[in-house]
Amino acid sequence: MTADQLLAAEYALGLLEGEDLLAARARESADPAFARDVAEWQERLAPLADDIDPRMPREEVWQRIEAELGADSGNAQVVALRRSLRRWQWAGGLSAAAAIALAFLALPQLIGPAGETRPDPAAERMARAPMAATMPIGGTPLNLDFTYLPDDRSLLVGAVGLEADGVHDHEIWFVPPEGELVSLGVVTPGEVVAHSVPESVARTLHDGSQLLLTREPLGGKPEDSAAGPVVAEAEFATI
């Protein structure tokens, strides 16, 4: 099972959430091969859930977990755990079927002839893990959401809720370890758009890489002008 097939299986079973889910939906729309994988997994795995009775933890278990997580609201890991908790609660009835199905289908791929162990697709996936960043827009309750998919060198830019003013555009810039800023394109207000990432940028992107947003004339920064004022910034974090 390849990393893409594993991602398609998780998406088909409804185990993704947040930016992972957004990225998978965008990829399903743009990548016919991925869409076929999703449809195949849905056909193969979904019936398994009908044969396994849900096993939900008692309500007091969820309450104890939430109480523990609430003890430190400022920790980034706690925020991530809260998101996982919501996913576990939502998928509780399906998770047993999903785990059994995924383990059963992945096992032949992990063990080769004569018991030879093959590379773990999950480990390979983590080595090419997507990255995400959230960029607050100052003075508004809005954020720009960025998801980088390394396998496709694609940057998904979500600007849902942002409206065009008819006067300015906003341009995204990657801050490299050294050298000049690299433009990753202009934000499309109100939409989720995939931007192609240059190979030179893809080679240097890492956890903690910085993005900047500048205010520019319509169409983006003119070639003969300096970049406009920086209005927001964000850093990537590995998903």
Side-chain angles (χ1 to χ4, degrees):
M1 182 188 296
T2 67
D4 284 349
Q5 288 173 327
L6 182 60
L7 178 63
E10 292 175 341
Y11 176 47
L13 287 165
L15 300 181
L16 300 180
E17 67 164 11
E19 292 170 341
D20 286 341
L21 178 60
L22 180 64
R25 284 177 176 169
R27 185 167 178 184
E28 183 182 25
S29 300
D31 185 343
F34 183 75
R36 286 194 298 271
D37 283 343
V38 171
E40 181 178 347
W41 284 118
Q42 288 174 332
E43 182 177 352
R44 294 171 64 184
L45 299 181
L48 295 177
D50 298 332
D51 300 327
I52 300 178
D53 294 332
R55 291 293 183 268
M56 294 292 289
R58 299 187 306 274
E59 181 61 27
E60 57 264 30
V61 175
W62 293 126
Q63 292 173 355
R64 288 179 57 189
I65 294 174
E66 289 178 328
E68 290 294 331
L69 294 180
D72 184 1
S73 60
N75 188 296
Q77 291 181 328
V78 171
V79 173
L81 284 172
R82 284 202 187 97
R83 293 174 179 169
S84 296
L85 172 63
R86 289 194 296 270
R87 178 176 61 192
W88 297 334
Q89 289 174 317
W90 180 85
L94 181 61
S95 59
I100 293 171
L102 288 175
F104 176 78
L105 292 167
L107 184 60
Q109 307 298 326
L110 298 177
I111 306 299
E116 176 187 356
T117 301
R118 297 183 180 179
D120 184 351
E124 292 180 356
R125 179 181 169 193
M126 286 305 298
R128 304 190 308 272
M131 291 186 289
T134 299
M135 181 181 287
I137 305 300
T140 77
L142 302 176
N143 296 316
L144 292 182
D145 295 313
F146 300 90
T147 304
Y148 174 61
L149 304 176
D151 288 345
D152 300 327
R153 293 213 322 265
S154 179
L155 179 66
L156 302 180
V157 181
V160 177
L162 189 67
E163 297 181 358
D165 63 9
V167 178
H168 301 100
D169 272 331
H170 290 89
E171 192 158 355
I172 309 158
W173 299 87
F174 167 65
V175 182
E178 57 183 23
E180 298 182 354
L181 302 181
V182 180
S183 173
L184 298 180
V186 172
V187 174
T188 304
E191 298 184 19
V192 178
V193 177
H195 295 239
S196 178
V197 174
E199 184 176 357
S200 59
V201 171
R203 287 198 303 265
T204 56
L205 266 176
H206 58 83
D207 191 286
S209 286
Q210 188 177 19
L211 294 175
L212 299 178
L213 191 71
T214 61
R215 186 172 63 247
E216 306 291 349
L218 290 177
K221 183 187 83 68
E223 291 186 6
D224 57 350
S225 301
V230 174
V231 296
E233 59 184 70
E235 288 187 357
F236 275 118
T238 301
I239 300 175

